[in-house]
Amino acid sequence: MTAPEPPKPASVWEVIPIARTAWRICDSALTENDAARLVGYVDRNETGTYDVLWLRSPCPTRSRYRSLNELLADLDDAAAAAVVPRADRPRKIPHFPPRI
């Protein structure tokens, strides 16, 4: 049995094989020297599913997938949900005078 080829990501995620059934996921938008570049480790278990160890945020809430493409799509969704527009001003905190 040979390991499947890693999918070609349509996003910034880079899937790098580190063993026959293991990969690491990196953020190609960051430099090689940046520790935040490493997103997680993926292992394919005996049942054919992929187990993920997430190492940084944003990350999906799941850690088991049926395919690498499903994993990368979920990671794209988590990264998109983490982007918060800063167009609005923060809510004003009400201040009350001290009690006497």
Side-chain angles (χ1 to χ4, degrees):
M1 179 181 221
T2 61
E5 286 294 315
K8 294 187 175 28
S11 60
V12 298
W13 313 120
E14 186 177 358
V15 180
I16 303 167
I18 55 176
R20 214 169 54 113
T21 59
W23 299 266
R24 86 177 158 210
I25 302 173
C26 295
D27 187 347
S28 63
L30 301 175
T31 64
E32 293 281 335
N33 299 339
D34 194 348
R37 178 178 169 85
L38 184 59
V39 177
Y41 289 104
V42 182
D43 286 317
R44 184 169 179 225
N45 62 26
E46 302 84 32
T47 62
T49 58
Y50 297 86
D51 294 321
V52 185
L53 172 64
W54 298 113
L55 299 175
R56 70 162 203 179
S57 290
C59 67
T61 56
R62 292 174 51 194
S63 62
R64 182 166 286 170
Y65 296 90
R66 287 184 225 149
S67 71
L68 288 173
N69 288 326
E70 181 184 15
L71 183 150
L72 293 174
D74 206 16
L75 184 57
D76 281 336
D77 293 342
V83 176
V84 178
R86 300 286 296 175
D88 297 337
R89 295 185 66 156
R91 292 186 200 152
K92 193 154 185 123
I93 299 172
H95 293 282
F96 300 104
R99 288 186 165 177
I100 301 179

